[in-house]
């Protein structure tokens, strides 16, 4: 092993001077000057960890200063954010700006409390169409992302070289490579199949690239995709422990060289670089050569509450600043995300070739909520249950997905 990626590219750069940490407790009410002008806006997110916490604060401070307002920010734990937002929406007390995980956006948008961004004049020129799609609900743009993430195949360079195995590009090649690389305590391949959204997130590329959909979970295409996963667990090239592994756990197994290949996200690149493992990154294998990968689009979106004329105008002005090219690039590099604008993403791929597979996947990446809207979380949970059942061997892929299909709303 050596201390740099095989491609020898530079690491993602460290965050810039926008690192002044600060966590403020706030209410949702704004402040106004003596003459009635709005002087303070509120914002909420779940970026509690560093360096994202400090960077979010600094970007809001900078953009608020440009708009002539102070931003009072509240950063809450991930699992507390949505209950807080839904309660705020019901009481018409949402913060002016919100940073929300994109699959959660439709639940807030469905309350009618969010500002349609295109009608408010938010500039979307240069953004990937697929990146904008994750912010839409009922064909209206309510959220816009600064950067997106997705999944790719990470390979242990030394293990593949020793076994004379090339990074696989198709499902058949993946199965053969996993089998060849499985030896002793080392599994050839791993993914997260944990019983919640992370497991579903990892399965969706296989479902979609095989022609399946989230509304027809009992289709032959969906069953074939889950059966492909099940067979690899059954033959031992994938550990049955994947039903308990989060994506971070899978990365730990890869770092410990207990796994030769893994599905994981771009956000793991800084961790891998820090640990010094030699690795490669390639697009996720597809059913047949020439098929397009179809990864789920990850990342957060900024949204603006309908809080009245001047507050909305100032919040949009702050949002436009947050979406400036320098901030998009910095946010993407900080999180190992792909910038939401195509020209910035192309530059990132050129500067950091390990990000190239993730940039390549963005145009065909799919929104998890496009088909199901606010019903996605329930269906995602049912899919995760089906994955657990099939991989544990307590039911066939057909039986498990047939059960999951019952969670899909009928129109």
């Amino acid at each position: 092993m050596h201390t740099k990626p095989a491609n020898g590219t530079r690491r993602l750069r460290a965050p810039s001077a926008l690192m002044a940490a600060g966590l403020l407790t706030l209410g949702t009410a704004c402040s106004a000057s003596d003459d009635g002008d709005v002087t303070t806006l509120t914002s909420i997110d779940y970026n509690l960890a560093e360096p994202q916490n400090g960077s979010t604060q600094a970007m809001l401070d900078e953009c608020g200063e440009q708009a002539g307002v102070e931003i009072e920010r509240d950063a809450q734990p991930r699992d507390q954010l949505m209950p807080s937002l839904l309660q705020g929406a019901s009481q018409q007390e949402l913060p002016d700006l919100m940073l929300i995980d994109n699959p959660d956006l439709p639940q807030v948008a469905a309350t009618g409390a969010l500002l349609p961004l295109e009608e408010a004049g938010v500039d979307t020129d240069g953004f990937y169409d697929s990146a904008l799609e994750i912010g839409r609900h009922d064909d209206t743009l309510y959220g816009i992302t600064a950067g997106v993430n997705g999944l790719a195949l990470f390979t242990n360079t030394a293990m593949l070289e020793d076994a004379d195995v090339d990074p696989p590009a198709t499902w058949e090649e993946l199965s053969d490579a996993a089998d060849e690389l499985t030896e002793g305590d080392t599994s050839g391949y791993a993914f997260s199949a944990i019983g919640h959204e992370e497991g579903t997130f990892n399965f969706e590329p296989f479902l979609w690239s095989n022609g399946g959909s989230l509304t027809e979970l009992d289709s032959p295409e969906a069953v074939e995709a889950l059966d492909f996963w099940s067979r690899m667990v059954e033959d031992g090239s994938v550990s049955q422990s994947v039903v308990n592994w989060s994506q971070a756990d899978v990365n730990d197994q890869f770092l410990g060289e207990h796994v030769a290949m893994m599905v994981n996200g771009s956000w793991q690149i800084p961790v891998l670089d820090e640990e010094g493992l030699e690795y490669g990154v390639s697009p996720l294998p597809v059913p047949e050569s020439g098929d397009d990968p179809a990864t789920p689009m990850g990342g957060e979106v900024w949204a603006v509450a309908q809080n009245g004329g001047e507050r909305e105008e100032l919040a949009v002005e702050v949002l436009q600043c947050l979406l400036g090219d320098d901030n998009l690039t910095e946010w993407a590099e900080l999180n190992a995300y792909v910038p939401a604008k195509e020209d910035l993403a192309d530059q990132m791929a050129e500067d950091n070739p390990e990000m190239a597979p993730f940039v390549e996947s963005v145009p065909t990446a799919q929104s998890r909520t496009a088909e199901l809207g606010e019903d996605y979380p329930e269906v995602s949970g049912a899919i995760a249950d089906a994955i657990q059942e099939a991989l544990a061997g307590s039911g066939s892929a057909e039986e498990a997905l047939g059960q999951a299909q019952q969670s899909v709303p009928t129109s």
Side-chain angles (χ1 to χ4, degrees):
M1 295 187 292
H2 60 69
T3 58
K4 286 181 69 64
N7 48 40
T9 55
R10 72 175 177 83
R11 292 184 181 181
L12 301 173
R13 70 178 171 82
S16 72
L18 296 176
M19 292 296 295
L23 180 61
L24 303 178
T25 301
L26 58 84
T28 55
C30 67
S31 298
S33 63
D34 292 340
D35 57 8
D37 292 337
V38 174
T39 58
T40 304
L41 297 179
T42 55
S43 179
I44 194 167
D45 60 77
Y46 56 74
N47 288 329
L48 287 169
E50 297 296 349
Q52 288 84 0
N53 176 36
S55 184
T56 302
Q57 184 69 52
M59 286 184 180
L60 285 169
D61 288 346
E62 180 181 285
C63 290
E65 184 176 354
Q66 288 187 25
V69 293
E70 180 182 354
I71 308 291
E72 291 187 347
R73 173 181 171 236
D74 183 12
Q76 296 193 1
R78 172 75 173 81
D79 60 352
Q80 295 179 20
L81 183 67
M82 279 303 293
S84 176
L85 288 178
L86 293 175
Q87 181 180 10
S90 69
Q91 298 173 345
Q92 298 183 321
E93 292 183 350
L94 281 176
D96 298 292
L97 289 153
M98 293 151 275
L99 186 63
I100 309 170
D101 197 15
N102 78 79
D104 293 333
L105 179 75
Q107 296 179 73
V108 187
T111 69
L114 298 183
L115 186 70
L117 297 180
E118 288 172 314
E119 292 178 22
V122 172
D123 183 8
T124 60
D125 285 351
F127 281 72
Y128 285 105
D129 289 341
S130 56
L132 293 175
E133 191 62 30
I134 63 174
R136 296 193 191 281
H137 176 66
D138 288 345
D139 299 324
T140 299
L141 188 72
Y142 291 107
I144 189 164
T145 185
V148 297
N149 62 59
L151 297 170
L153 184 71
F154 290 76
T155 53
N156 182 305
T157 302
M159 287 184 175
L160 267 67
E161 287 180 352
D162 289 346
D164 195 23
V165 170
D166 293 326
T170 67
W171 286 10
E172 181 178 2
E173 292 174 1
L174 175 61
S175 180
D176 291 344
D179 184 60
E180 186 70 27
L181 292 162
T182 298
E183 182 177 4
D185 295 332
T186 300
S187 298
Y189 175 53
F191 46 80
S192 172
I194 199 166
H196 53 60
E197 169 62 12
E198 282 190 29
T200 303
F201 185 73
N202 275 252
F203 176 64
E204 285 167 337
F206 294 83
L207 170 74
W208 286 332
S209 66
N210 201 41
S213 84
L214 294 173
T215 57
E216 296 180 4
L217 298 175
D218 54 355
S219 69
E221 293 83 2
V223 171
E224 184 178 33
L226 184 53
D227 194 50
F228 176 67
W229 269 25
S230 297
R231 291 199 309 272
M232 298 182 76
V233 172
E234 289 172 5
D235 69 21
S237 57
V238 172
S239 169
Q240 196 172 55
S241 295
V242 295
V243 297
N244 298 315
W245 288 350
S246 67
Q247 294 169 114
D249 295 330
V250 171
N251 197 55
D252 287 343
Q253 294 293 322
F254 185 75
L255 278 170
E257 300 197 289
H258 304 302
V259 164
M261 303 183 292
M262 69 168 179
V263 174
N264 225 313
S266 54
W267 58 88
Q268 302 291 8
I269 288 176
V271 180
L272 294 170
D273 288 351
E274 183 70 23
E275 295 298 323
L277 181 69
E278 183 180 352
Y279 65 93
V281 188
S282 55
L284 287 180
V286 291
E288 302 290 342
S289 178
D291 291 344
D292 288 325
T295 65
M297 185 82 77
E300 298 78 19
V301 293
W302 283 104
V304 175
Q306 295 196 46
N307 282 340
E310 187 179 4
R311 289 176 67 181
E312 292 174 8
E313 291 175 6
L314 288 168
V316 168
E317 188 174 345
V318 172
L319 176 58
Q320 289 282 183
C321 172
L322 292 170
L323 300 175
D325 286 358
D326 288 345
N327 282 336
L328 291 189
T329 298
E330 175 165 345
W331 188 249
E333 292 184 347
L334 185 72
N335 292 281
Y337 281 11
V338 176
K341 284 187 174 180
E342 189 168 357
D343 60 340
L344 301 179
D346 289 343
Q347 186 62 53
M348 171 176 272
E350 183 176 333
D351 294 343
N352 304 284
E354 70 267 34
M355 288 295 295
F358 298 100
V359 173
E360 182 182 334
S361 72
V362 171
T364 57
Q366 297 191 27
S367 163
R368 284 168 281 174
T369 57
E371 296 177 287
L372 295 165
E374 64 267 36
D375 294 315
Y376 174 78
E378 181 176 352
V379 175
S380 171
I383 295 172
D385 290 343
I387 293 169
Q388 294 261 303
E389 181 178 342
L391 269 56
S394 53
S396 68
E398 183 175 10
E399 293 168 341
L401 287 172
Q403 181 69 28
Q405 178 64 27
Q406 296 181 25
S407 70
V408 178
T410 55
S411 56

